[in-house]
Amino acid sequence: MSHVFTLPERPAAAIAGSAETFPVGRIICIGRNYEAHAREMGTDPAREAPFFFTKWADALAPNGATIPYPSETANYHFEAELVIAIGKEGAKVNEADALGLVFGYAVGLDMTRRDVQLEAREKGRPWDTGKNFAFSAPMAAIRPVAEGHIASGPIQLRVNGDLKQDGDIRDLIWDCAETIAYVSRFERLLPGDLIFTGTPAGVGAVVPGDVIEVTIAGLEPLTVTIGEREADFA
């Protein structure tokens, strides 16, 4: 059977030290997973269970990319994140077995139209237009889990060399195993899934020309440049 058109090749992430790539299926993002960030966003993390939202795989952007300042926002924010790359299938896994699904870890960014997100939140609407759009998920190369799991270590973000976010992976409210187990209760995890685990405090706005650098101890650093603004519709 023939198709009326051919879909583009699926997005793929680089793997550190390898010519092979990691085909990306879904991007699952954990919200408010650091206490200080939850409080800076006006919520109390002690009062809620984990929750997550999604991005299309097409939102992926490679290390070193220049990503456009998106349309329909005047408050474009960075959020530095540890990313879990899933390499094995699993549903309703327990915490003791959860890390067995991990292929590796990477440094990522959850770029956000903050004004659009907050307007949707205030109206009780989904966050899609604030979170899920082209180039909103930059990511560095994945470090395979054979080199060890990530449970602690500095996570830092700089804009034009100035330190903006400075946290530690050990401060995740729900650690990697807990996060994988929780998500797998609601959705069968598949090879190719990426889980963005949340961001520490210090999120803020960027403008065209800014250079964002994100580092997590033991992982390949991520650098992206904010490009020119995409045109809004009149």
Side-chain angles (χ1 to χ4, degrees):
M1 180 182 295
S2 62
H3 301 293
V4 294
F5 58 85
T6 301
L7 288 173
E9 186 176 348
R10 298 303 302 152
I15 300 172
S18 175
E20 295 183 311
T21 58
F22 182 90
V24 175
R26 299 172 295 184
I27 299 175
I28 299 164
C29 304
I30 307 301
R32 297 194 290 261
N33 203 11
Y34 288 83
E35 182 176 348
H37 172 60
R39 296 191 187 285
E40 77 177 348
M41 294 301 293
T43 62
D44 184 349
R47 295 180 180 174
E48 63 181 7
F51 74 95
F52 56 91
F53 54 92
T54 59
K55 294 177 185 271
W56 295 307
D58 304 276
L60 196 71
N63 200 0
T66 295
I67 58 175
Y69 191 105
S71 61
E72 305 302 327
T73 183
N75 196 18
Y76 187 37
H77 274 213
F78 53 78
E79 297 189 9
E81 311 219 359
L82 171 68
V83 182
I84 305 168
I86 298 297
K88 295 180 181 178
E89 182 175 337
K92 298 183 179 179
V93 299
N94 59 48
E95 291 176 19
D97 297 328
L99 295 183
L101 273 57
V102 178
F103 173 84
Y105 299 91
V107 175
L109 275 166
D110 169 19
M111 299 301 294
T112 303
R113 292 173 168 131
R114 186 70 73 201
D115 44 359
V116 177
Q117 179 205 13
L118 294 180
E119 180 182 5
R121 190 179 78 176
E122 290 168 2
K123 294 179 179 179
R125 295 176 178 174
W127 292 4
D128 295 56
T129 51
K131 288 286 191 177
N132 186 8
F133 52 92
F135 308 104
S136 64
M139 196 176 84
I142 299 167
R143 193 206 71 185
V145 76
E147 299 180 31
H149 289 283
I150 303 290
S152 64
I155 173 171
Q156 297 180 324
L157 181 146
R158 291 174 168 81
V159 177
N160 303 326
D162 295 330
L163 185 64
K164 301 294 185 179
Q165 290 184 276
D166 187 10
D168 196 292
I169 300 301
R170 70 167 58 93
D171 295 328
L172 284 166
I173 298 172
W174 306 285
D175 65 22
C176 292
E178 292 170 329
T179 294
I180 293 167
Y182 182 81
V183 173
S184 77
R185 290 168 49 189
F186 297 89
E187 189 66 46
R188 180 179 295 274
L189 291 171
L190 300 171
D193 287 342
L194 299 175
I195 300 178
F196 281 58
T197 60
T199 194
V203 300
V206 285
V207 297
D210 283 345
V211 177
I212 305 173
E213 301 171 281
V214 188
T215 57
I216 296 175
L219 300 179
E220 181 174 321
L222 172 63
T223 301
V224 295
T225 302
I226 306 302
E228 293 301 312
R229 182 184 180 93
E230 293 183 320
D232 292 329
F233 288 105

